[in-house]
């Protein structure tokens, strides 16, 4: 397989075409953004950590019946993935209320949720990824009703699997974001990445934040924390 032209450069990753129209190369950068890209920086070797961690978690999810875009990791910063037609929404799962939701609702960071929350936002940097209700999604025709039900079902299974996975490693999964799309056969498929950039993880013993919040809020030990989380993920 040959890597061809750059198709897209995003905030955290770059996508390249390959000589196979069904496959892309996903390159993980060290660039970090927060607060709708108002805060920018780099985290040394974040791309390496996020590539390896995403590989590990995609393999784990595949083993447990989740269809993902992962094909193979080719080097420290790159993986081959199936080309997807992405849904125009981001899917956020919350086991506890933290981050922007805690702020918006005026509750303490980490407030317990009586039930798991699945919410959606429009993938739009210009608009700051606004929250979408189910009715917004259906009224705008962003996703069909039957597929929205399927998105919720598969997201629930992913949430159960990831929550258990991290609990075994002494980390509480507070919330996370995923992106889904259709593969060449029209199958709903998990895409993008799963890593400390896209989730909140709190140490179950100490309560310490082990994710991108260390960068967002200048908590220190950012690089070390990414490396530590990777080591905990890789330790069987
Ligand atoms: P952003 O676009 O928010 O800056 P990234 O830097 O992570 O984010 O860019 C990666 C882009 O690639 C995202 O827009 C994501 O939706 C898209 N993407 C992820 N996986 C695939 C895939 N398998 N096929 C096509 N696009 C993908
Ligand atoms: N998230 C993400 N990308 C986004 C928005 C959110 O990966 O564009 C992740 C974020 O890291 C967190 C979860 O989704 O794990 C919930 O984020 P929240 O809505 O609280 O927003 P934030 O506090 O990150 O602005």
């Amino acid at each position: 397989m040959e890597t061809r032209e750059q198709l897209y450069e995003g905030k955290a990753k770059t996508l390249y075409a390959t000589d196979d129209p069904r496959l892309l190369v996903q390159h993980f950068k060290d660039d970090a953004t927060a607060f709708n890209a108002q805060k920018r920086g780099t985290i040394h070797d974040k791309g390496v950590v996020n590539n390896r961690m995403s590989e590990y978690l995609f393999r784990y999810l595949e083993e447990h019946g989740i269809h993902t875009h992962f094909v193979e990791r080719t080097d420290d910063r790159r993986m081959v993935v199936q080309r997807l037609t992405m849904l125009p929404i981001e899917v956020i799962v919350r086991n506890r209320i933290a981050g922007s939701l805690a702020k918006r609702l005026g509750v303490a960071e980490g407030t317990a949720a009586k039930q798991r929350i699945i919410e959606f936002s429009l993938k739009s940097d210009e608009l700051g990824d606004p929250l979408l209700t189910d009715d917004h999604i259906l009224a705008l025709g962003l996703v069909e009703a039957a597929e929205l039900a399927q998105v919720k079902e598969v997201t629930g299974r992913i949430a159960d699997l990831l929550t258990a996975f991290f609990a075994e490693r002494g980390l509480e999964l507070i919330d996370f974001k995923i992106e889904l799309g259709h593969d060449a056969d029209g199958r709903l498929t998990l895409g993008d990445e799963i890593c400390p950039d896209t989730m909140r993880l709190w140490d179950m013993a100490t309560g310490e934040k082990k994710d991108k919040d260390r960068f967002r809020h200048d908590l220190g030990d950012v690089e070390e924390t990414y490396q530590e989380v990777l080591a905990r993920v890789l330790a069987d």
Side-chain angles (χ1 to χ4, degrees):
M1 196 213 63
E2 234 178 74
T3 304
R4 295 260 168 96
E5 77 278 10
Q6 180 178 311
L7 295 178
Y8 174 80
E9 177 159 16
K11 297 185 293 293
K13 301 191 291 304
T14 308
L15 298 182
Y16 296 91
T18 71
D19 54 350
D20 182 336
R22 292 163 308 172
L23 299 179
L24 300 177
V25 167
Q26 190 164 241
H27 175 105
F28 289 76
K29 306 190 288 181
D30 287 350
D31 300 347
T33 59
F35 311 117
N36 203 28
Q38 282 164 24
K39 180 179 170 100
R40 287 173 185 272
T42 57
I43 301 172
H44 180 68
D45 276 354
K46 172 173 84 77
V48 177
V49 170
N50 289 357
N51 189 28
R52 295 214 58 197
M53 185 158 155
S54 292
E55 173 195 18
Y56 198 94
L57 291 172
F58 283 136
R59 287 186 192 277
Y60 164 77
L61 292 173
E62 283 278 352
E63 278 165 21
H64 291 84
I66 305 293
H67 189 49
T68 82
H69 69 162
F70 180 76
V71 178
E72 64 171 333
R73 184 170 62 82
T74 46
D75 68 27
D76 267 2
R77 289 182 181 271
R78 290 181 179 209
M79 63 168 60
V80 179
V81 298
Q82 288 179 51
R83 184 195 286 256
L84 303 180
T85 306
M86 302 304 288
L87 302 183
I89 59 172
E90 297 190 345
V91 183
I92 289 171
V93 176
R94 301 177 189 274
N95 289 325
R96 284 182 186 268
I97 300 171
S100 64
L101 186 62
K103 200 169 171 196
R104 194 152 53 82
L105 300 184
V107 299
E109 175 82 355
T111 296
K114 289 194 177 191
Q115 59 168 60
R116 178 179 287 154
I117 298 165
I118 298 182
E119 68 184 41
F120 305 101
S121 61
L122 183 66
K123 257 172 72 74
S124 166
D125 284 344
E126 307 83 75
L127 300 174
D129 296 347
L131 185 72
L132 293 167
T133 66
D134 285 22
D135 276 1
H136 294 152
I137 292 173
L138 299 177
L140 291 170
L142 300 176
V143 179
E144 297 295 320
E147 185 155 68
L148 189 57
Q150 209 190 334
V151 166
K152 289 182 187 174
E153 188 274 328
V154 74
T155 299
R157 281 193 288 136
I158 292 169
D160 286 343
L161 287 164
L162 292 179
T163 303
F165 178 93
F166 284 108
E168 279 171 21
R169 287 155 178 83
L171 293 165
E172 183 176 350
L173 179 58
I174 304 298
D175 57 28
F176 64 96
K177 184 267 302 181
I178 52 173
E179 295 185 29
L180 298 144
H182 294 125
D183 68 9
D185 302 321
R187 220 166 136 196
L188 189 64
T189 306
L190 176 63
D192 210 50
E193 63 186 327
I194 315 177
C195 59
D197 276 5
T198 58
M199 51 180 51
R200 287 193 169 89
L201 293 166
W202 293 1
D203 191 300
M204 285 170 151
T206 65
E208 268 183 305
K209 294 180 194 286
K210 301 286 184 184
D211 53 60
K212 197 168 132 185
D213 272 349
R214 302 206 74 83
F215 166 78
R216 287 189 188 97
H217 304 296
D218 300 316
L219 300 177
D221 292 337
V222 184
E223 276 103 10
E224 294 79 357
T225 299
Y226 274 70
Q227 296 292 343
E228 181 198 329
V229 170
L230 176 63
R232 283 166 84 159
V233 163
L234 299 182
D236 277 314

